[in-house]
Amino acid sequence: MSDTFLSGETTTDKTAVRNAATVIAMRGRMTSDPQVLMGQRGAQAAFMPNKFVFPGGAVDAEDAQIPLASPISPVCQKRLADKATDGVHHALSVAAVRELWEETGLILGEPGNWAGDVPEDWQSFAATGHVPSARAMQFVFRALTPPGRPRRFDARFFLVDADQITGDLDDFSRAADELSHLQWIPLSQVRSFDLPFITEVVLAEVTARVRDAEPPQSVPYFHNNDEASLFLRLKGYPMPADG
């Protein structure tokens, strides 16, 4: 994970809120028991040790400069822009592709050649003959880590149909070591794993729309600050009390 803001400023304050992207890769969406890709964080990790999580991490300063073969859909761009910095949708989309590659070795991209020099962090990705693409991603959830935690993230969750991922979905040989026990977990079994609270909430949201191929018109936003914890919907509409 990065210690940088989207603006490129470096911070040594580990409690500062950082933009982050998380990928919910879902396999067999139209089957009776779809699966999601998760891995386990290390026991020594400062943030959510031992928990099973989706691939993801903080936005790097360089992410804003990385080209995309195709952007995320216009409706998702609008939801990502709500209560956020201008242009944040691009850096978040790139971060999602990068984190999926780094933590699982799976490719979310389109065949093509990079223009100019390839940044060091992207050289192994580019060597596969692909340019990152956000075309298959759907923005489905946003959550701000509560105050007082050792790390704080303004995390956006992106749902991706596994059919849109390039390569062998069971081959994690190119993954870094940030997550262990990478596996496709059936939705019927996933709640038996040690999950963070917010992951449980996100799973309930994506399970409810598992067969909906279109991006959501409104996105839940779990907003935590010193005053309150609120569930909102982007664009800014409060969720129903029973939602």
Side-chain angles (χ1 to χ4, degrees), residues 96-136:
V97 176
R98 177 177 51 75
E99 290 290 340
L100 182 68
W101 168 252
E102 291 175 354
E103 296 190 351
T104 72
L106 298 179
I107 300 167
L108 196 56
E110 299 176 25
N113 297 316
W114 289 58
D117 295 334
V118 179
E120 183 177 354
D121 287 348
W122 286 90
Q123 288 179 0
S124 60
F125 186 98
T128 69
H130 292 84
V131 177
S133 173
R135 176 179 51 82

mmCIF file of all heavy atoms in Angstrom, residues 96-136:
data_model
loop_
_atom_site.group_PDB
_atom_site.id
_atom_site.type_symbol
_atom_site.label_atom_id
_atom_site.label_comp_id
_atom_site.label_asym_id
_atom_site.label_seq_id
_atom_site.Cartn_x
_atom_site.Cartn_y
_atom_site.Cartn_z
ATOM 1 N N ALA A 96 -7.106 0.259 -9.031
ATOM 2 C CA ALA A 96 -7.813 -1.019 -8.951
ATOM 3 C C ALA A 96 -7.156 -2.070 -9.840
ATOM 4 O O ALA A 96 -6.934 -3.214 -9.426
ATOM 5 C CB ALA A 96 -9.280 -0.837 -9.348
ATOM 6 N N VAL A 97 -6.823 -1.682 -11.072
ATOM 7 C CA VAL A 97 -6.156 -2.608 -11.990
ATOM 8 C C VAL A 97 -4.793 -3.014 -11.436
ATOM 9 O O VAL A 97 -4.421 -4.196 -11.449
ATOM 10 C CB VAL A 97 -5.991 -1.960 -13.381
ATOM 11 C CG1 VAL A 97 -5.220 -2.887 -14.310
ATOM 12 C CG2 VAL A 97 -7.350 -1.615 -13.982
ATOM 13 N N ARG A 98 -4.054 -2.040 -10.927
ATOM 14 C CA ARG A 98 -2.715 -2.306 -10.401
ATOM 15 C C ARG A 98 -2.757 -3.240 -9.193
ATOM 16 O O ARG A 98 -1.976 -4.191 -9.077
ATOM 17 C CB ARG A 98 -2.032 -0.979 -10.026
ATOM 18 C CG ARG A 98 -0.657 -1.151 -9.391
ATOM 19 C CD ARG A 98 0.011 0.187 -9.106
ATOM 20 N NE ARG A 98 -0.831 1.105 -8.366
ATOM 21 C CZ ARG A 98 -1.084 1.002 -7.066
ATOM 22 N NH1 ARG A 98 -0.572 0.000 -6.353
ATOM 23 N NH2 ARG A 98 -1.855 1.896 -6.463
ATOM 24 N N GLU A 99 -3.667 -2.976 -8.280
ATOM 25 C CA GLU A 99 -3.752 -3.804 -7.072
ATOM 26 C C GLU A 99 -4.188 -5.232 -7.401
ATOM 27 O O GLU A 99 -3.693 -6.189 -6.799
ATOM 28 C CB GLU A 99 -4.714 -3.168 -6.067
ATOM 29 C CG GLU A 99 -4.194 -1.888 -5.430
ATOM 30 C CD GLU A 99 -3.041 -2.130 -4.454
ATOM 31 O OE1 GLU A 99 -2.892 -3.267 -3.981
ATOM 32 O OE2 GLU A 99 -2.300 -1.175 -4.175
ATOM 33 N N LEU A 100 -5.110 -5.383 -8.347
ATOM 34 C CA LEU A 100 -5.509 -6.730 -8.746
ATOM 35 C C LEU A 100 -4.313 -7.484 -9.309
ATOM 36 O O LEU A 100 -4.097 -8.664 -8.986
ATOM 37 C CB LEU A 100 -6.637 -6.670 -9.778
ATOM 38 C CG LEU A 100 -7.179 -8.033 -10.231
ATOM 39 C CD1 LEU A 100 -7.910 -8.737 -9.091
ATOM 40 C CD2 LEU A 100 -8.096 -7.890 -11.447
ATOM 41 N N TRP A 101 -3.516 -6.805 -10.134
ATOM 42 C CA TRP A 101 -2.331 -7.428 -10.724
ATOM 43 C C TRP A 101 -1.302 -7.773 -9.649
ATOM 44 O O TRP A 101 -0.794 -8.889 -9.589
ATOM 45 C CB TRP A 101 -1.725 -6.499 -11.767
ATOM 46 C CG TRP A 101 -0.357 -6.901 -12.224
ATOM 47 C CD1 TRP A 101 0.828 -6.289 -11.933
ATOM 48 C CD2 TRP A 101 -0.033 -8.024 -13.055
ATOM 49 N NE1 TRP A 101 1.868 -6.956 -12.529
ATOM 50 C CE2 TRP A 101 1.367 -8.027 -13.224
ATOM 51 C CE3 TRP A 101 -0.775 -9.017 -13.675
ATOM 52 C CZ2 TRP A 101 2.035 -8.984 -13.976
ATOM 53 C CZ3 TRP A 101 -0.113 -9.977 -14.439
ATOM 54 C CH2 TRP A 101 1.276 -9.959 -14.579
ATOM 55 N N GLU A 102 -0.994 -6.803 -8.788
ATOM 56 C CA GLU A 102 0.051 -7.018 -7.787
ATOM 57 C C GLU A 102 -0.324 -8.110 -6.784
ATOM 58 O O GLU A 102 0.532 -8.918 -6.394
ATOM 59 C CB GLU A 102 0.338 -5.710 -7.039
ATOM 60 C CG GLU A 102 1.003 -4.643 -7.898
ATOM 61 C CD GLU A 102 1.179 -3.327 -7.179
ATOM 62 O OE1 GLU A 102 0.678 -3.183 -6.033
ATOM 63 O OE2 GLU A 102 1.814 -2.428 -7.756
ATOM 64 N N GLU A 103 -1.576 -8.138 -6.370
ATOM 65 C CA GLU A 103 -1.963 -9.041 -5.283
ATOM 66 C C GLU A 103 -2.466 -10.398 -5.749
ATOM 67 O O GLU A 103 -2.537 -11.336 -4.942
ATOM 68 C CB GLU A 103 -3.006 -8.362 -4.390
ATOM 69 C CG GLU A 103 -2.440 -7.124 -3.684
ATOM 70 C CD GLU A 103 -3.352 -6.568 -2.619
ATOM 71 O OE1 GLU A 103 -4.516 -7.027 -2.528
ATOM 72 O OE2 GLU A 103 -2.912 -5.684 -1.863
ATOM 73 N N THR A 104 -2.828 -10.511 -7.039
ATOM 74 C CA THR A 104 -3.328 -11.797 -7.526
ATOM 75 C C THR A 104 -2.627 -12.283 -8.785
ATOM 76 O O THR A 104 -2.716 -13.468 -9.123
ATOM 77 C CB THR A 104 -4.839 -11.738 -7.820
ATOM 78 O OG1 THR A 104 -5.074 -10.962 -9.007
ATOM 79 C CG2 THR A 104 -5.609 -11.134 -6.657
ATOM 80 N N GLY A 105 -1.967 -11.383 -9.527
ATOM 81 C CA GLY A 105 -1.365 -11.751 -10.799
ATOM 82 C C GLY A 105 -2.364 -11.853 -11.932
ATOM 83 O O GLY A 105 -2.028 -12.333 -13.022
ATOM 84 N N LEU A 106 -3.595 -11.375 -11.732
ATOM 85 C CA LEU A 106 -4.628 -11.417 -12.763
ATOM 86 C C LEU A 106 -4.687 -10.082 -13.507
ATOM 87 O O LEU A 106 -4.432 -9.022 -12.923
ATOM 88 C CB LEU A 106 -5.987 -11.755 -12.149
ATOM 89 C CG LEU A 106 -6.070 -13.124 -11.463
ATOM 90 C CD1 LEU A 106 -7.463 -13.337 -10.877
ATOM 91 C CD2 LEU A 106 -5.721 -14.260 -12.426
ATOM 92 N N ILE A 107 -5.060 -10.157 -14.775
ATOM 93 C CA ILE A 107 -4.981 -9.002 -15.676
ATOM 94 C C ILE A 107 -6.363 -8.440 -15.982
ATOM 95 O O ILE A 107 -7.250 -9.146 -16.460
ATOM 96 C CB ILE A 107 -4.296 -9.396 -16.996
ATOM 97 C CG1 ILE A 107 -2.878 -9.908 -16.731
ATOM 98 C CG2 ILE A 107 -4.282 -8.225 -17.973
ATOM 99 C CD1 ILE A 107 -2.256 -10.590 -17.932
ATOM 100 N N LEU A 108 -6.518 -7.156 -15.715
ATOM 101 C CA LEU A 108 -7.697 -6.416 -16.132
ATOM 102 C C LEU A 108 -7.218 -5.376 -17.134
ATOM 103 O O LEU A 108 -6.751 -4.298 -16.768
ATOM 104 C CB LEU A 108 -8.365 -5.753 -14.931
ATOM 105 C CG LEU A 108 -9.797 -5.242 -15.096
ATOM 106 C CD1 LEU A 108 -10.729 -6.358 -15.564
ATOM 107 C CD2 LEU A 108 -10.303 -4.661 -13.790
ATOM 108 N N GLY A 109 -7.267 -5.749 -18.420
ATOM 109 C CA GLY A 109 -6.716 -4.873 -19.439
ATOM 110 C C GLY A 109 -7.126 -5.289 -20.831
ATOM 111 O O GLY A 109 -7.906 -6.240 -21.006
ATOM 112 N N GLU A 110 -6.596 -4.568 -21.792
ATOM 113 C CA GLU A 110 -6.861 -4.859 -23.191
ATOM 114 C C GLU A 110 -5.527 -5.017 -23.918
ATOM 115 O O GLU A 110 -4.544 -4.331 -23.594
ATOM 116 C CB GLU A 110 -7.675 -3.726 -23.822
ATOM 117 C CG GLU A 110 -9.040 -3.525 -23.167
ATOM 118 C CD GLU A 110 -9.796 -2.332 -23.725
ATOM 119 O OE1 GLU A 110 -9.526 -1.955 -24.896
ATOM 120 O OE2 GLU A 110 -10.645 -1.776 -23.001
ATOM 121 N N PRO A 111 -5.458 -5.909 -24.920
ATOM 122 C CA PRO A 111 -4.211 -6.085 -25.659
ATOM 123 C C PRO A 111 -3.765 -4.764 -26.280
ATOM 124 O O PRO A 111 -4.574 -4.019 -26.836
ATOM 125 C CB PRO A 111 -4.576 -7.110 -26.735
ATOM 126 C CG PRO A 111 -5.755 -7.841 -26.175
ATOM 127 C CD PRO A 111 -6.523 -6.832 -25.380
ATOM 128 N N GLY A 112 -2.476 -4.472 -26.160
ATOM 129 C CA GLY A 112 -1.968 -3.229 -26.733
ATOM 130 C C GLY A 112 -0.565 -2.924 -26.262
ATOM 131 O O GLY A 112 -0.034 -3.595 -25.368
ATOM 132 N N ASN A 113 0.014 -1.908 -26.878
ATOM 133 C CA ASN A 113 1.364 -1.475 -26.529
ATOM 134 C C ASN A 113 1.313 -0.138 -25.813
ATOM 135 O O ASN A 113 0.496 0.734 -26.141
ATOM 136 C CB ASN A 113 2.217 -1.348 -27.795
ATOM 137 C CG ASN A 113 2.388 -2.669 -28.510
ATOM 138 O OD1 ASN A 113 2.641 -3.691 -27.880
ATOM 139 N ND2 ASN A 113 2.244 -2.645 -29.829
ATOM 140 N N TRP A 114 2.192 0.027 -24.856
ATOM 141 C CA TRP A 114 2.285 1.273 -24.116
ATOM 142 C C TRP A 114 3.016 2.316 -24.954
ATOM 143 O O TRP A 114 3.974 2.001 -25.660
ATOM 144 C CB TRP A 114 3.034 1.055 -22.810
ATOM 145 C CG TRP A 114 2.257 0.258 -21.790
ATOM 146 C CD1 TRP A 114 1.763 -1.000 -21.940
ATOM 147 C CD2 TRP A 114 1.909 0.683 -20.474
ATOM 148 N NE1 TRP A 114 1.119 -1.400 -20.797
ATOM 149 C CE2 TRP A 114 1.196 -0.386 -19.872
ATOM 150 C CE3 TRP A 114 2.129 1.841 -19.734
ATOM 151 C CZ2 TRP A 114 0.706 -0.321 -18.575
ATOM 152 C CZ3 TRP A 114 1.645 1.912 -18.437
ATOM 153 C CH2 TRP A 114 0.933 0.847 -17.866
ATOM 154 N N ALA A 115 2.589 3.549 -24.840
ATOM 155 C CA ALA A 115 3.277 4.654 -25.506
ATOM 156 C C ALA A 115 4.350 5.197 -24.570
ATOM 157 O O ALA A 115 4.069 5.516 -23.409
ATOM 158 C CB ALA A 115 2.281 5.756 -25.873
ATOM 159 N N GLY A 116 5.575 5.284 -25.051
ATOM 160 C CA GLY A 116 6.648 5.820 -24.224
ATOM 161 C C GLY A 116 7.167 4.811 -23.215
ATOM 162 O O GLY A 116 6.886 3.610 -23.288
ATOM 163 N N ASP A 117 7.917 5.321 -22.255
ATOM 164 C CA ASP A 117 8.519 4.467 -21.235
ATOM 165 C C ASP A 117 7.450 3.937 -20.284
ATOM 166 O O ASP A 117 6.512 4.655 -19.906
ATOM 167 C CB ASP A 117 9.564 5.242 -20.442
ATOM 168 C CG ASP A 117 10.756 5.656 -21.297
ATOM 169 O OD1 ASP A 117 11.016 4.951 -22.296
ATOM 170 O OD2 ASP A 117 11.388 6.668 -20.966
ATOM 171 N N VAL A 118 7.600 2.700 -19.879
ATOM 172 C CA VAL A 118 6.674 2.079 -18.943
ATOM 173 C C VAL A 118 7.197 2.282 -17.529
ATOM 174 O O VAL A 118 8.351 1.938 -17.237
ATOM 175 C CB VAL A 118 6.521 0.572 -19.229
ATOM 176 C CG1 VAL A 118 5.579 -0.071 -18.230
ATOM 177 C CG2 VAL A 118 6.037 0.347 -20.658
ATOM 178 N N PRO A 119 6.397 2.854 -16.625
ATOM 179 C CA PRO A 119 6.853 3.027 -15.237
ATOM 180 C C PRO A 119 7.263 1.690 -14.620
ATOM 181 O O PRO A 119 6.717 0.633 -14.965
ATOM 182 C CB PRO A 119 5.627 3.612 -14.537
ATOM 183 C CG PRO A 119 4.833 4.252 -15.627
ATOM 184 C CD PRO A 119 5.053 3.407 -16.832
ATOM 185 N N GLU A 120 8.214 1.743 -13.700
ATOM 186 C CA GLU A 120 8.773 0.524 -13.114
ATOM 187 C C GLU A 120 7.692 -0.375 -12.522
ATOM 188 O O GLU A 120 7.721 -1.600 -12.691
ATOM 189 C CB GLU A 120 9.801 0.887 -12.042
ATOM 190 C CG GLU A 120 10.475 -0.325 -11.424
ATOM 191 C CD GLU A 120 11.544 0.072 -10.422
ATOM 192 O OE1 GLU A 120 11.844 1.291 -10.301
ATOM 193 O OE2 GLU A 120 12.088 -0.825 -9.751
ATOM 194 N N ASP A 121 6.725 0.225 -11.819
ATOM 195 C CA ASP A 121 5.685 -0.575 -11.161
ATOM 196 C C ASP A 121 4.771 -1.293 -12.156
ATOM 197 O O ASP A 121 4.021 -2.187 -11.766
ATOM 198 C CB ASP A 121 4.830 0.313 -10.251
ATOM 199 C CG ASP A 121 5.577 0.735 -8.995
ATOM 200 O OD1 ASP A 121 6.655 0.159 -8.735
ATOM 201 O OD2 ASP A 121 5.094 1.642 -8.290
ATOM 202 N N TRP A 122 4.829 -0.880 -13.428
ATOM 203 C CA TRP A 122 3.939 -1.444 -14.437
ATOM 204 C C TRP A 122 4.657 -2.307 -15.468
ATOM 205 O O TRP A 122 4.026 -2.814 -16.391
ATOM 206 C CB TRP A 122 3.193 -0.313 -15.146
ATOM 207 C CG TRP A 122 2.121 0.296 -14.298
ATOM 208 C CD1 TRP A 122 2.264 1.346 -13.437
ATOM 209 C CD2 TRP A 122 0.758 -0.114 -14.194
ATOM 210 N NE1 TRP A 122 1.070 1.620 -12.810
ATOM 211 C CE2 TRP A 122 0.123 0.734 -13.266
ATOM 212 C CE3 TRP A 122 0.012 -1.120 -14.818
ATOM 213 C CZ2 TRP A 122 -1.213 0.608 -12.930
ATOM 214 C CZ3 TRP A 122 -1.330 -1.244 -14.494
ATOM 215 C CH2 TRP A 122 -1.925 -0.389 -13.557
ATOM 216 N N GLN A 123 5.948 -2.478 -15.321
ATOM 217 C CA GLN A 123 6.694 -3.186 -16.355
ATOM 218 C C GLN A 123 6.278 -4.651 -16.483
ATOM 219 O O GLN A 123 6.180 -5.179 -17.604
ATOM 220 C CB GLN A 123 8.195 -3.064 -16.080
ATOM 221 C CG GLN A 123 8.713 -1.659 -16.359
ATOM 222 C CD GLN A 123 10.186 -1.500 -16.076
ATOM 223 O OE1 GLN A 123 10.869 -2.444 -15.667
ATOM 224 N NE2 GLN A 123 10.708 -0.293 -16.297
ATOM 225 N N SER A 124 6.012 -5.323 -15.371
ATOM 226 C CA SER A 124 5.596 -6.724 -15.457
ATOM 227 C C SER A 124 4.212 -6.848 -16.073
ATOM 228 O O SER A 124 3.931 -7.780 -16.828
ATOM 229 C CB SER A 124 5.630 -7.380 -14.072
ATOM 230 O OG SER A 124 4.753 -6.725 -13.174
ATOM 231 N N PHE A 125 3.341 -5.882 -15.789
ATOM 232 C CA PHE A 125 2.005 -5.870 -16.398
ATOM 233 C C PHE A 125 2.127 -5.644 -17.900
ATOM 234 O O PHE A 125 1.540 -6.373 -18.706
ATOM 235 C CB PHE A 125 1.155 -4.776 -15.752
ATOM 236 C CG PHE A 125 -0.288 -4.755 -16.203
ATOM 237 C CD1 PHE A 125 -1.270 -5.348 -15.434
ATOM 238 C CD2 PHE A 125 -0.662 -4.131 -17.395
ATOM 239 C CE1 PHE A 125 -2.604 -5.318 -15.835
ATOM 240 C CE2 PHE A 125 -1.975 -4.097 -17.806
ATOM 241 C CZ PHE A 125 -2.956 -4.703 -17.024
ATOM 242 N N ALA A 126 2.907 -4.637 -18.292
ATOM 243 C CA ALA A 126 3.070 -4.322 -19.711
ATOM 244 C C ALA A 126 3.689 -5.484 -20.471
ATOM 245 O O ALA A 126 3.393 -5.686 -21.657
ATOM 246 C CB ALA A 126 3.917 -3.064 -19.872
ATOM 247 N N ALA A 127 4.546 -6.241 -19.795
ATOM 248 C CA ALA A 127 5.206 -7.380 -20.449
ATOM 249 C C ALA A 127 4.218 -8.460 -20.872
ATOM 250 O O ALA A 127 4.529 -9.292 -21.725
ATOM 251 C CB ALA A 127 6.258 -7.974 -19.519
ATOM 252 N N THR A 128 3.012 -8.445 -20.326
ATOM 253 C CA THR A 128 1.988 -9.405 -20.736
ATOM 254 C C THR A 128 1.336 -9.002 -22.054
ATOM 255 O O THR A 128 0.530 -9.770 -22.604
ATOM 256 C CB THR A 128 0.888 -9.538 -19.664
ATOM 257 O OG1 THR A 128 0.119 -8.328 -19.603
ATOM 258 C CG2 THR A 128 1.486 -9.842 -18.290
ATOM 259 N N GLY A 129 1.644 -7.790 -22.550
ATOM 260 C CA GLY A 129 1.055 -7.315 -23.797
ATOM 261 C C GLY A 129 -0.277 -6.626 -23.613
ATOM 262 O O GLY A 129 -1.060 -6.529 -24.571
ATOM 263 N N HIS A 130 -0.527 -6.098 -22.405
ATOM 264 C CA HIS A 130 -1.807 -5.457 -22.123
ATOM 265 C C HIS A 130 -1.614 -4.033 -21.612
ATOM 266 O O HIS A 130 -0.596 -3.711 -20.996
ATOM 267 C CB HIS A 130 -2.595 -6.255 -21.079
ATOM 268 C CG HIS A 130 -3.062 -7.584 -21.572
ATOM 269 N ND1 HIS A 130 -2.245 -8.703 -21.555
ATOM 270 C CD2 HIS A 130 -4.241 -7.982 -22.104
ATOM 271 C CE1 HIS A 130 -2.911 -9.728 -22.046
ATOM 272 N NE2 HIS A 130 -4.119 -9.321 -22.392
ATOM 273 N N VAL A 131 -2.631 -3.216 -21.869
ATOM 274 C CA VAL A 131 -2.754 -1.883 -21.299
ATOM 275 C C VAL A 131 -3.916 -1.925 -20.313
ATOM 276 O O VAL A 131 -4.945 -2.550 -20.595
ATOM 277 C CB VAL A 131 -3.023 -0.839 -22.409
ATOM 278 C CG1 VAL A 131 -3.226 0.549 -21.803
ATOM 279 C CG2 VAL A 131 -1.886 -0.832 -23.417
ATOM 280 N N PRO A 132 -3.790 -1.315 -19.131
ATOM 281 C CA PRO A 132 -4.879 -1.382 -18.149
ATOM 282 C C PRO A 132 -6.178 -0.808 -18.709
ATOM 283 O O PRO A 132 -6.177 0.147 -19.479
ATOM 284 C CB PRO A 132 -4.359 -0.563 -16.970
ATOM 285 C CG PRO A 132 -3.227 0.246 -17.501
ATOM 286 C CD PRO A 132 -2.649 -0.539 -18.631
ATOM 287 N N SER A 133 -7.281 -1.420 -18.305
ATOM 288 C CA SER A 133 -8.598 -0.989 -18.773
ATOM 289 C C SER A 133 -9.588 -1.027 -17.617
ATOM 290 O O SER A 133 -9.589 -1.961 -16.807
ATOM 291 C CB SER A 133 -9.091 -1.905 -19.898
ATOM 292 O OG SER A 133 -10.431 -1.602 -20.247
ATOM 293 N N ALA A 134 -10.446 -0.007 -17.557
ATOM 294 C CA ALA A 134 -11.491 0.058 -16.533
ATOM 295 C C ALA A 134 -12.870 -0.231 -17.107
ATOM 296 O O ALA A 134 -13.878 -0.080 -16.414
ATOM 297 C CB ALA A 134 -11.480 1.437 -15.868
ATOM 298 N N ARG A 135 -12.909 -0.657 -18.359
ATOM 299 C CA ARG A 135 -14.193 -0.863 -19.040
ATOM 300 C C ARG A 135 -15.101 -1.845 -18.304
ATOM 301 O O ARG A 135 -16.322 -1.667 -18.261
ATOM 302 C CB ARG A 135 -13.931 -1.367 -20.459
ATOM 303 C CG ARG A 135 -15.169 -1.712 -21.271
ATOM 304 C CD ARG A 135 -14.796 -2.182 -22.664
ATOM 305 N NE ARG A 135 -13.782 -3.235 -22.633
ATOM 306 C CZ ARG A 135 -14.063 -4.514 -22.420
ATOM 307 N NH1 ARG A 135 -15.315 -4.906 -22.223
ATOM 308 N NH2 ARG A 135 -13.098 -5.424 -22.412
ATOM 309 N N ALA A 136 -14.527 -2.881 -17.699
ATOM 310 C CA ALA A 136 -15.336 -3.937 -17.083
ATOM 311 C C ALA A 136 -15.700 -3.653 -15.631
ATOM 312 O O ALA A 136 -16.439 -4.439 -15.008
ATOM 313 C CB ALA A 136 -14.584 -5.265 -17.156
#
